[in-house]
Amino acid sequence: MHIAMCSDSNYAMPMGVAMISICENNQNSEIVFHLVITDEGEDNEARDKKLQPLREIGERYGQQVVFYSISQEQLAAFKCTGVGYISTTAFARVFLPEILSTDISRVLYMDCDIAVDGSLLPLWQTVMPNDCPLGAVIDANSQLCEYRLKIPQGISYYNSGILLMNLDVWRREAITQKMVDCAVAYQYPLLDQDVINVVLQGRILPLPVTYNFQILFYFGGPDTWHVDNVITKEIHATLEKPVLIHYLTPNKPWSNEFCPHREVWEKYCDMSPWHGLPKRPVSTLLQRSRVYQPLVEAWWSDQALVKEYLPVFVNLINAAVRLKNKHFFVHIATLPMKWMTWILRKTYAWKTRK
C-alpha cells in the first residue's frame, strides 16, 4: 500500500499522528510512506531533527518511510493566491506521478490533517477503470463549487484531501503539466482542488464518504450541505464511525477544543512522540451533530461575549470594504455564505422565543 503525504517539516507532528493512525488500523498490510517535504531551503540539521520522529514511527511499525524533496521555486511558479490557510504547497500532490518511481502505478495521497480509524485496505483495492486517472470523495460544498466553476450539470465536485491516483494514466496523458497550465492561467481560489476538478471533470471515480469524512458534515443538516440526496443519506450512515476523518477547516484538533471528533485524533496523538500536548475538553455528541445551534444560542445570551467578539466582526467587514480586489472577495465570500445565513436564522428564532 503506497501512501503519499506532502508538507513542510513544520507540519511533522500532524503528519506523524496521521501515520500512527494508519499503522494502528492496518497492521496486517505492508505500507510504504512517501513523504514529500517542501522546505529544502531550511537548515538541514534543523529539518532532519523535525523529521526524525517520522523515521522512528516507520521503524516502530516495521513500515518503510521514503523522503522526497520538491523545491519552493517549483511550487512558486504557480503564483497563486488562494484561501488564506491554503498555500501553494497544496500543489505538491499533482507532482507525485513525476516524483515517484515509474514502478509505482497507484498511490493513495492523504492530507496531513486526518485521522484513520479503520482499515484502508478496501479503499486501496478499489477497482478503477484503466482510463480513470483518479478516485475521490465528493466535497461538502460540491454544488456550490460546481456553480462557482461553471462545471456542467451532472458532474460532481470532489475534495482533494484524499486521492486514489492512477499514476500510469497521469504519466501517459501528461496530466501534471495540464494542471500546471490551468493553475497559472486561471488562478483558482481553492488552488489544487479547483484545478483537479476542472482538468479532470467527468473522469473522477466517486469514493465512499467514509474514506474522506470532512468535519463540515458535522455542522448543521442537509440544508447546510451542498450535496445531493444520495450523498446526504451516505453522510448520515457514516456520521458516528467514519474510517477516515478529515479536519479540513482552519480549526484543527491540535488547536481547537470544539473540533468534531477531536477525541479520535487525540487517541493517536497519545501514542506519538508528541503525546505531551496540553489536553482540551472533548466535544460532546450534541456538539458534533448540531454544534452551531447550542453554540450560537449560548453566545447571544452572553452579553459580555457578544461585546468581546463584535469588534472582530466589524473589523472583518471594514477590511472587506477596503479590499482592492472586490471581485476576488465576492468569489471567496460565497463559500461561508451558507453558514452566515444559517446562523442568522437560528439567531432570529432564539430572539423570537425570548
Side-chain angles (χ1 to χ4, degrees), residues 46-321:
R47 181 172 176 261
D48 289 345
K49 185 176 180 180
K50 294 176 185 176
L51 298 178
Q52 182 57 30
L54 305 181
R55 298 184 180 92
E56 294 172 356
I57 289 169
E59 293 172 1
R60 185 204 307 181
Y61 290 97
Q63 307 292 12
Q64 189 176 354
V65 179
V66 184
F67 289 96
Y68 306 80
S69 291
I70 185 170
S71 69
Q72 285 294 338
E73 289 76 14
Q74 189 175 5
L75 295 175
F78 289 102
K79 297 179 182 176
C80 292
T81 304
V83 175
Y85 66 97
I86 305 176
S87 72
T88 51
T89 298
F91 280 112
R93 72 199 72 188
V94 306
F95 289 100
L96 286 172
E98 299 179 359
I99 294 172
L100 301 186
S101 167
T102 54
D103 295 335
I104 302 172
S105 60
R106 173 183 292 206
V107 69
L108 181 58
Y109 168 80
M110 294 184 179
D111 279 352
C112 299
D113 55 345
I114 59 107
V116 173
D117 207 32
S119 174
L120 293 174
L121 198 56
L123 171 61
W124 175 251
Q125 294 176 339
T126 299
V127 177
M128 301 176 70
N130 291 333
D131 61 345
C132 177
L134 192 68
V137 174
I138 198 166
D139 191 78
N141 289 310
S142 179
Q143 293 177 358
L144 192 61
C145 291
E146 290 160 25
Y147 175 80
R148 176 172 59 82
L149 296 176
K150 296 180 173 57
I151 292 177
Q153 188 175 5
I155 297 178
S156 296
Y157 178 93
Y158 295 88
N159 184 271
S160 66
I162 309 297
L163 303 173
L164 185 59
M165 302 173 68
N166 187 337
L167 301 181
D168 290 339
V169 176
W170 280 63
R171 293 168 182 139
R172 185 169 64 244
E173 299 183 13
I175 291 176
T176 294
Q177 187 57 51
K178 292 176 183 176
M179 292 192 174
V180 171
D181 295 340
C182 179
V184 173
Y186 294 100
Q187 300 286 301
Y188 289 118
L190 293 186
L191 303 188
D192 68 293
Q193 184 166 286
D194 281 350
V195 170
I196 286 171
N197 278 276
V198 169
V199 174
L200 299 180
Q201 59 181 277
R203 301 186 63 192
I204 299 176
L205 178 71
L207 299 175
V209 168
T210 191
Y211 294 117
N212 183 358
F213 200 89
Q214 303 142 56
I215 61 169
L216 287 177
F217 289 140
Y218 287 106
F219 298 142
D223 58 332
T224 59
W225 302 329
H226 287 268
V227 294
D228 59 32
N229 291 332
V230 174
I231 299 298
T232 296
K233 292 179 181 178
E234 191 179 348
I235 291 169
H236 279 297
T238 315
L239 197 61
E240 284 308 307
K241 186 63 176 175
V243 171
L244 191 154
I245 303 161
H246 187 187
Y247 305 97
L248 79 175
T249 72
N251 299 317
K252 304 302 183 185
W254 54 90
S255 62
N256 189 287
E257 61 186 280
F258 291 110
C259 185
H261 266 325
R262 189 178 192 277
E263 71 280 7
V264 177
W265 186 88
E266 282 195 334
K267 176 175 70 174
Y268 298 109
C269 183
D270 287 344
M271 303 177 188
S272 77
W274 304 276
H275 58 82
L277 287 178
K279 294 286 186 181
R280 291 182 175 88
V282 174
S283 299
T284 65
L285 177 61
L286 176 62
Q287 287 170 323
R288 287 206 305 268
S289 59
R290 291 292 183 271
V291 71
Y292 274 178
Q293 182 173 351
L295 194 59
V296 169
E297 292 184 4
W299 279 25
W300 282 97
S301 61
D302 187 335
Q303 296 301 314
L305 200 57
V306 171
K307 290 178 181 178
E308 178 184 348
Y309 278 87
L310 193 57
V312 176
F313 291 110
V314 172
N315 290 337
L316 179 62
I317 293 171
N318 289 336
V321 171

